[in-house]
Amino acid sequence: MTPSLEQLPDEQAQAARFQQARDARNAATAQDYVELISDLIATTGEARSVDVAKRLGVSHATVVKTVNRLQKEGLINTKPYRGLFLTDVGENLATESRHRHQVVTNLLIALGVDEETAQADAEGIEHHISAQTLATFESYLQGHRS
Amino acid sequence: MTPSLEQLPDEQAQAARFQQARDARNAATAQDYVELISDLIATTGEARSVDVAKRLGVSHATVVKTVNRLQKEGLINTKPYRGLFLTDVGENLATESRHRHQVVTNLLIALGVDEETAQADAEGIEHHISAQTLATFESYLQGHRS
DNA sequence: TGTAAATTGTAGCCAAGGCTGTAAAATAAA
DNA sequence: TTTATTTTACAGCCTTGGCTACAATTTACA
Ligand SMILES: [Mn+2]
Ligand SMILES: [Mn+2]
Ligand SMILES: [Mn+2]
Ligand SMILES: [Mn+2]
């Protein structure tokens, strides 16, 4: 059993941790969208908002609204009735996000989590992995090549 | 380098993963609040909303509003001007959350992530750890007792 | 005791990310 | 070429979780 905390962390340090978690949470949507759009284009040739909606499990109206925001933020381009495209910035974010997603998934599997659970948990965990933790995961996987 | 995806996962399966991540995101606030309140009570004898606000790094108005919601949901009790308390349900959630938080932190440290980075990343990761992944982390730590 | 400081509460605002319902446009089929 | 289906767009609503500003209450202290 895990014992109760003996001492609280420093107040400012703790606030900074919570802030980092909130920032990561807020960045998660953009990461999921660009990663998914990139994957759809790579495998099917195009990314229609209908398909994005189905794969995210949200309504198409939600996708349209979010895509509009991400377009204003410079991650996505749209050609009306011709699907979604990524800007260079969006494509870079997608590449980075997909890599991190894959590393997290592989680490969970390497530790013994089964495939589908790993996939599901990684979908949320990935957004909270710092550069240092990512590097640590990568070198662990490096040393445990099957 | 991580290669591009060769094939997309099944549509329903992928939607279910995103849904799980959204559910976890939505449950995160309650977990952070009850864990923090429990820790404050354990170490300082009481949990004042002012202190919760300072440690979360948000305004006290935000805390008051969120506490009201969590009270309606049956996790927290308040004695006006006498601080915050946990219901039995809240205390159980706090215990479970603190344990999971600790396991995640310990795993990151065991893999080589430094203390402060582990603390920060764990603050977000913890909310996306399923029962199976938690068990896997625990047995990894079991086998790597320093 | 009376006043200052700290704490708590309330009101009203905002953005993100959900939703449904309806309309329009494009594509597919008859 | 109509007509039906699919896709996209838009309007309006909701909840969560942020914020500031101001009011009320309690606690501390001079
Ligand atoms: Mn991802
Ligand atoms: Mn994700
Ligand atoms: Mn926690
Ligand atoms: Mn947390």
Side-chain angles (χ1 to χ4, degrees), chain A residues 111-123:
Chain A
L111 291 176
V113 178
D114 70 57
E115 172 88 15
E116 184 49 37
T117 304
Q119 297 282 1
D121 288 9
E123 195 54 77

Side-chain angles (χ1 to χ4, degrees), chain A residues 38-59:
Chain A
S38 175
D39 288 346
L40 280 167
I41 291 173
T43 58
T44 75
E46 60 176 5
R48 313 299 297 230
S49 15
V50 164
D51 298 316
V52 171
K54 276 187 280 203
R55 290 196 168 270
L56 289 176
V58 299
S59 75

Side-chain angles (χ1 to χ4, degrees), chain B residues 81-139:
Chain B
Y81 291 92
R82 294 242 126 42
L84 310 176
F85 304 86
L86 297 178
T87 64
D88 286 354
V89 175
E91 193 59 58
N92 288 342
L93 180 60
T95 301
E96 181 190 321
S97 299
R98 176 171 39 235
H99 175 67
R100 190 174 44 219
H101 192 142
Q102 196 61 60
V103 168
V104 170
T105 304
N106 288 347
L107 179 88
L108 292 179
I109 291 171
L111 292 178
V113 178
D114 70 56
E115 171 88 17
E116 183 49 37
T117 303
Q119 298 282 0
D121 289 9
E123 194 54 76
I125 293 172
E126 56 167 346
H127 310 289
H128 298 273
I129 301 298
S130 64
Q132 202 218 306
T133 296
L134 180 64
T136 302
F137 285 5
E138 283 169 330
S139 62

Side-chain angles (χ1 to χ4, degrees), chain A residues 32 36 55-56 123, chain B residues 14-23:
Chain A
D32 285 338
L36 178 53
R55 290 196 168 270
L56 289 176
E123 195 54 77
Chain B
Q14 191 169 19
R17 292 174 201 165
F18 281 117
Q19 187 58 57
Q20 175 179 310
R22 283 192 298 271
D23 290 344

Side-chain angles (χ1 to χ4, degrees), chain A residues 60-137:
Chain A
H60 73 278
T62 295
V63 170
V64 167
K65 190 163 64 165
T66 302
V67 164
N68 279 333
R69 178 173 66 82
L70 298 180
Q71 189 168 19
K72 283 187 195 103
E73 291 176 9
L75 296 174
I76 295 180
N77 282 326
T78 64
K79 300 186 187 156
Y81 289 93
R82 295 243 126 41
L84 310 174
F85 303 86
L86 298 178
T87 64
D88 286 355
V89 175
E91 192 58 60
N92 287 341
L93 180 60
T95 301
E96 181 190 321
S97 299
R98 177 172 37 236
H99 174 67
R100 190 173 46 219
H101 191 141
Q102 196 60 59
V103 168
V104 170
T105 304
N106 288 346
L107 180 87
L108 292 179
I109 292 172
L111 291 176
V113 178
D114 70 57
E115 172 88 15
E116 184 49 37
T117 304
Q119 297 282 1
D121 288 9
E123 195 54 77
I125 293 172
E126 56 168 345
H127 309 289
H128 297 274
I129 301 297
S130 64
Q132 202 218 305
T133 296
L134 179 65
T136 302
F137 286 6

